[in-house]
Amino acid sequence: EKTEQYTQLIKARDADGIMELLTDVAVEDRVVERVALKAATFGQDVVSGSAASSSKLKIAPEVVGTLYRKWIMPLTKEVE
């Protein structure tokens, strides 16, 4: 079903239509949430030999999520 839609859009050279068909907002939102969570987890400033984890982050997880949504996702879709 989607194959036919993609074929028609490709024949019509409708790049915007292809991007719209590729985009699943719910999936993208979940991916951005996971990216922000990983940034919060792995972006902690950990002191060697300290048993307690530090709550100081090297970068705000929201910034990483925004960068991912704004730059990485569009590039990925362009490659697809």
Side-chain angles (χ1 to χ4, degrees):
E1 66 228 25
K2 279 197 174 190
T3 302
E4 292 175 21
Q5 291 174 340
Y6 280 114
T7 302
Q8 291 173 357
L9 292 169
I10 290 168
K11 287 180 180 178
R13 296 182 183 262
D14 185 358
D16 292 334
I18 293 170
M19 284 298 198
E20 188 176 320
L21 189 59
L22 266 174
T23 302
D24 186 340
V25 177
V27 171
E28 288 185 1
D29 288 344
R30 286 194 308 269
V31 169
V32 170
E33 282 181 35
R34 275 199 334 260
V35 167
L37 180 61
K38 286 183 180 186
T41 302
F42 296 110
Q44 295 179 21
D45 195 11
V46 179
V47 179
S48 180
S50 174
S53 66
S54 172
S55 62
K56 185 175 184 214
L57 299 173
K58 295 177 184 178
I59 187 168
E62 301 81 27
V63 171
V64 177
T66 300
L67 288 171
Y68 197 86
R69 182 183 301 275
K70 186 175 180 180
W71 294 99
I72 304 300
M73 284 181 167
L75 288 172
T76 302
K77 286 191 265 185
E78 190 175 313
V79 170
E80 286 181 18

